[in-house]
Amino acid sequence: MLLTRFLLLLPTAAYAFDPLHHSGPASPYFDAPTQDGIPHDMPAGCIVDQAAYILRHGARYPEPGSFAGWQNLFAKLQNAKYTAKGPLAFLPSWRVPVDDVPHQPLYLTAAGALEAFALGVDLRKRYQLTKGGDNITVWSAGQQRCVDTATFFARGYLSQGNYLSEPSANRANIIVLPDSVNYTFANSLTPSAGCPQYASGDTSSVAGTFRLSYQPRIAARLNKFLDGLQLNATDIGVMMDLCGFQTAVNGDTRFCGLFEESEWRLYEYAHDLNYYYGSGPGNPFSATVGFPWVSAVAELFSLGPGKTTPGGNITPPPLVMGFTHDNNLPPILSALGLWNTSSERGVYPLSLTKPNEKRKFRSSNVVAFRGYVALERMACSSVEDVQNNGTTHLFVRVRVDRAPVEIPGCASGPGSTCPLQQFTEYVHKTRARAAGDFVDKCGLSSVANSTSHATFFTIAPPDMDEVVVGLN
Ligand SMILES: *[C@@H]1O[C@H](CO)[C@@H](O)[C@H](O)[C@H]1NC(C)=O
Ligand SMILES: *[C@@H]1O[C@H](CO)[C@@H](O)[C@H](O)[C@H]1NC(C)=O
Ligand SMILES: *[C@@H]1O[C@H](CO)[C@@H](O)[C@H](O)[C@H]1NC(C)=O
Ligand SMILES: *[C@@H]1O[C@H](CO)[C@@H](O)[C@H](O)[C@H]1NC(C)=O
Ligand SMILES: *[C@@H]1O[C@H](CO)[C@@H](O)[C@H](O)[C@H]1NC(C)=O
Ligand SMILES: *[C@@H]1O[C@H](CO)[C@@H](O)[C@H](O)[C@H]1NC(C)=O
C-alpha cells in the first residue's frame, strides 16, 4: 500500500499497456480503474456498516472445451516440421500448462486460492464488520471451484491468532446452494439456469463473428516468423487465452508478449460482446435474473445489520458474501441499470463491429477471476451533523472490482453515492419495472414451486449443504 502510494508520486509513471488487464475472463484479479472520476477511497465521515458481494471464483484451470483447444495447439506445434523465429522461437518447446489432467481442468488454481485468501484479508482490514472471534456465514454456488473460493476467502477473513484450536469460535459456515439447476428458480446464486427463457435472449454468438474479423490478420502477421507451419484463427484465439491462463498456472507470460496493444483491445472487445449480449444488458432476460439478488440485498440494507426478514431463520452477518460464476455478474449490472447508458450517443447497445472507447461495459473490469459486484451501505456524518447532534445519514455505493460506480440518476451522496431511501425506491420501482417478474417473464407461471425471490440469505433453503471451515 505504502509502496503503491510512493510509486504514484513518481513523476515519470510511463504508460505501460498490460494485456493482463485486457484479457476479459482470463484476467487475473486487479482493481478496476477509477470511473466517473470517483476515488476508490471512502468519503470522509463515512463508515460501511453493511456490505454485500457477489463474486466470481478465483483463477481456474481451463474448462474441458478450452483445454481441448490447448491440446490441439500443442499437437499442431509438435507434429509439424518447422522453424520458428523471433517472438515465436519458444513455440517448439512450449508445453501445455496442465500436468495432472484428472484433477486440474475446471478446478481452482493455487493463484485462484491466493486471490480468494487475499480478499478475505482485505475485507477484514477494510471493514471490520465482524469481530475476530465471530463465526461468519457465507453463501456459495455448489461447484467445487466456487466452494473452494469461499473456503480460501474464509481462511483469509477469519482472525488467525489464538483461535486455531478453539472449535466454537471463529469458524465459517458455508451455505452451499445447488449450482446451475433449473428447479431453484430465482432462489439461487446461479438464477440464469432457473429461467427457461434466458437462453433464447443470449446472442453472444456475435462475439465469434467479431473474432473472425481480426484473428486471421494476426495469424498472417505471426506466420512471417514461421517456416513450415501456418497458424490460423483458432490458434490465435487459444494463444491469446493462454496469456491470462498460463500466467495464473505457472507465471509464464510469453504468450502475453506476442501480441500488440491494438490486438489485445480487439480480443478484449470480443469478450465484451460475449458478456454484453450473452449475460449482460444485451440479453433481455439479464436484468430479470439479476434482480432477485439486488432486491434481496436492498431489503437487507433497509433492515440494517443484524436483522432478518419476517419469517427468516438466518440472520445474515453484516458482510454478505456470495460466490458464483462469471456469467452471474453481468445480470447484477443489468438489474442495477449500470454500464448500459451514456450521455454520448451510439455507445449502447455495443456495436457489433467497432469498439467504442467511451463504453464502460468492459468485461476485464468485472469478470476477471475473482471479480465482483459489491454494494456497500454507508453511514455518514457531515461536519454539521457532528456539531449538531451526531446524526448519521445512510447511502449506498456500488463497487465493481473495487472501483466505485455511479448509479444513474442517484449520486447526490458523498463520493457520488445514492441515499439509501432513494436506492430502495430505485430498486423496487425503476429497476423492478425494467427487470419484470421472474416467474412471469421466464414463463414459469404454471410450474409448481417456482419463485421470483431470492430468500436464501434469510431462510435456509431445503436443498442446501453446509460446510464448516475452521483454521485447523
Ligand atoms: C461457530 O460455528 C461452529 C461450527 O458450526 C459451532 O460449533 C459454534 O457453536 C459456532 N459458534 C458460535 C459462537 O456461534
Ligand atoms: C428442468 O430440466 C428438466 C430436464 O432437462 C426438464 O425436463 C424440465 O422440464 C425443466 N424444468 C423447467 C421448469 O424448465
Ligand atoms: C486451425 O488449425 C487447426 C489445427 O490444424 C484446426 O483444427 C482448425 O480447424 C483450424 N481452424 C480454422 C479456423 O481453420
Ligand atoms: C440496455 O440498453 C438497451 C438500449 O437502450 C435497452 O434496450 C435495454 O433494455 C437495456 N437493458 C437493461 C437491462 O436495462
Ligand atoms: C440533527 O441535525 C440535522 C441537521 O444537521 C437535522 O436534519 C436532524 O433532524 C437532527 N436530528 C435530531 C434527532 O435532532
Ligand atoms: C414443491 O414443494 C413441496 C414442498 O416443499 C414438495 O413436496 C414438492 O415435491 C415440490 N414440487 C416440485 C414439483 O418440486
Side-chain angles (χ1 to χ4, degrees):
M1 191 66 200
L2 270 178
L3 184 63
T4 327
R5 289 226 171 109
F6 173 71
L7 287 175
L8 286 174
L9 295 175
L10 291 176
T12 47
Y15 168 78
F17 178 83
D18 185 352
L20 294 171
H21 290 188
H22 300 274
S23 287
S27 303
Y29 181 79
F30 63 98
D31 284 348
T34 300
Q35 289 201 13
D36 306 313
I38 314 170
H40 282 57
D41 295 342
M42 285 291 290
C46 298
I47 58 144
V48 169
D49 70 2
Q50 215 176 355
Y53 280 65
I54 181 162
L55 59 134
R56 183 188 185 202
H57 54 76
R60 59 157 167 74
Y61 286 94
E63 299 207 43
S66 38
F67 181 46
W70 298 11
Q71 290 173 308
N72 290 344
L73 176 66
F74 178 68
K76 179 166 177 171
L77 296 175
Q78 292 303 305
N79 295 341
K81 269 203 171 332
Y82 64 104
T83 55
K85 291 182 304 204
L88 297 190
F90 76 93
L91 286 186
S93 62
W94 172 74
R95 296 287 175 271
V96 175
V98 167
D99 61 13
D100 187 358
V101 174
H103 301 104
Q104 290 174 339
L106 273 183
Y107 293 99
L108 203 63
T109 64
L114 187 59
E115 287 171 333
F117 191 96
L119 183 67
V121 175
D122 187 25
L123 297 195
R124 171 165 296 280
K125 288 200 301 195
R126 199 181 321 161
Y127 297 135
Q128 295 162 10
L129 281 170
T130 64
K131 290 203 309 187
D134 288 359
N135 282 353
I136 186 168
T137 298
V138 305
W139 287 260
S140 179
Q143 280 200 46
Q144 190 66 42
R145 60 182 180 273
C146 298
V147 178
D148 287 344
T149 301
T151 303
F152 283 103
F153 167 82
R155 288 176 183 269
Y157 182 79
L158 298 173
S159 274
Q160 310 288 315
N162 64 3
Y163 291 112
L164 280 169
S165 56
E166 176 50 72
S168 67
N170 196 35
R171 291 292 186 268
N173 182 29
I174 306 177
I175 295 182
V176 180
L177 305 173
D179 197 316
S180 306
V181 295
N182 73 356
Y183 55 82
T184 49
F185 311 104
N187 194 22
S188 164
L189 281 165
T190 50
S192 52
C195 176
Q197 290 298 319
Y198 177 85
S200 70
D202 175 346
T203 51
S204 56
S205 59
V206 297
T209 309
F210 181 74
R211 284 188 185 105
L212 289 179
S213 75
Y214 68 85
Q215 285 172 335
R217 227 185 313 140
I218 303 179
R221 179 178 71 76
L222 289 178
N223 280 334
K224 295 188 185 126
F225 298 102
L226 293 172
D227 189 6
L229 183 72
Q230 295 271 300
L231 297 173
N232 66 21
T234 310
D235 304 322
I236 297 303
V238 173
M239 289 161 76
M240 295 184 94
D241 287 347
L242 277 162
C243 167
F245 275 95
Q246 192 162 0
T247 300
V249 172
N250 62 11
D252 183 344
T253 58
R254 287 176 297 181
F255 283 107
C256 305
L258 282 187
F259 304 98
E260 295 169 356
E261 174 175 338
S262 60
E263 295 167 348
W264 286 116
R265 291 192 183 279
L266 295 168
Y267 169 78
E268 178 176 44
Y269 192 65
H271 286 305
D272 297 351
L273 289 174
N274 177 54
Y275 286 97
Y276 184 88
Y277 288 103
S279 53
N283 178 334
F285 300 93
S286 172
T288 315
V289 303
F291 185 75
W293 182 91
V294 169
S295 168
V297 171
E299 197 169 346
L300 289 177
F301 280 13
S302 298
L303 292 165
K307 307 264 174 45
T308 187
T309 51
N313 56 14
I314 303 173
T315 301
L319 178 61
V320 181
M321 300 297 297
F323 298 86
T324 183
H325 302 274
D326 54 350
N327 278 321
N328 298 284
L329 301 190
I332 305 294
L333 300 174
S334 300
L336 286 167
L338 306 179
W339 291 359
N340 193 36
T341 54
S342 172
S343 49
E344 310 273 340
R345 284 171 58 97
V347 178
Y348 302 104
L350 292 184
S351 160
L352 303 185
T353 52
K354 197 173 179 310
N356 186 325
E357 284 311 307
K358 299 259 163 59
R359 75 192 185 284
K360 288 185 180 147
F361 191 100
R362 287 182 194 247
S363 55
S364 309
N365 293 349
V366 55
V367 296
F369 287 118
R370 208 214 70 191
Y372 61 81
V373 181
L375 297 177
E376 294 176 334
R377 191 180 105 140
M378 290 183 355
C380 303
S381 304
S382 67
V383 175
E384 296 78 45
D385 290 333
V386 173
Q387 280 165 352
N388 287 341
N389 50 22
T391 313
T392 58
H393 298 275
L394 298 172
F395 302 92
V396 174
R397 161 170 274 186
V398 182
R399 288 184 188 266
V400 181
D401 291 2
R402 188 120 200 262
V405 172
E406 209 170 281
I407 293 174
C410 192
S412 63
S416 302
T417 53
C418 178
L420 175 63
Q421 207 178 335
Q422 230 181 306
F423 175 76
T424 309
E425 275 179 32
Y426 175 73
V427 170
H428 293 310
K429 293 192 180 145
T430 314
R431 296 320 296 170
R433 211 176 309 122
D437 177 68
F438 189 99
V439 164
D440 284 352
K441 226 177 146 182
C442 296
L444 294 163
S445 310
S446 60
V447 175
N449 298 352
S450 61
T451 175
S452 296
H453 304 286
T455 56
F456 58 81
F457 288 132
T458 54
I459 300 172
D463 42 9
M464 69 178 216
D465 283 323
E466 272 185 84
V467 177
V468 177
V469 178
L471 291 170
N472 50 355

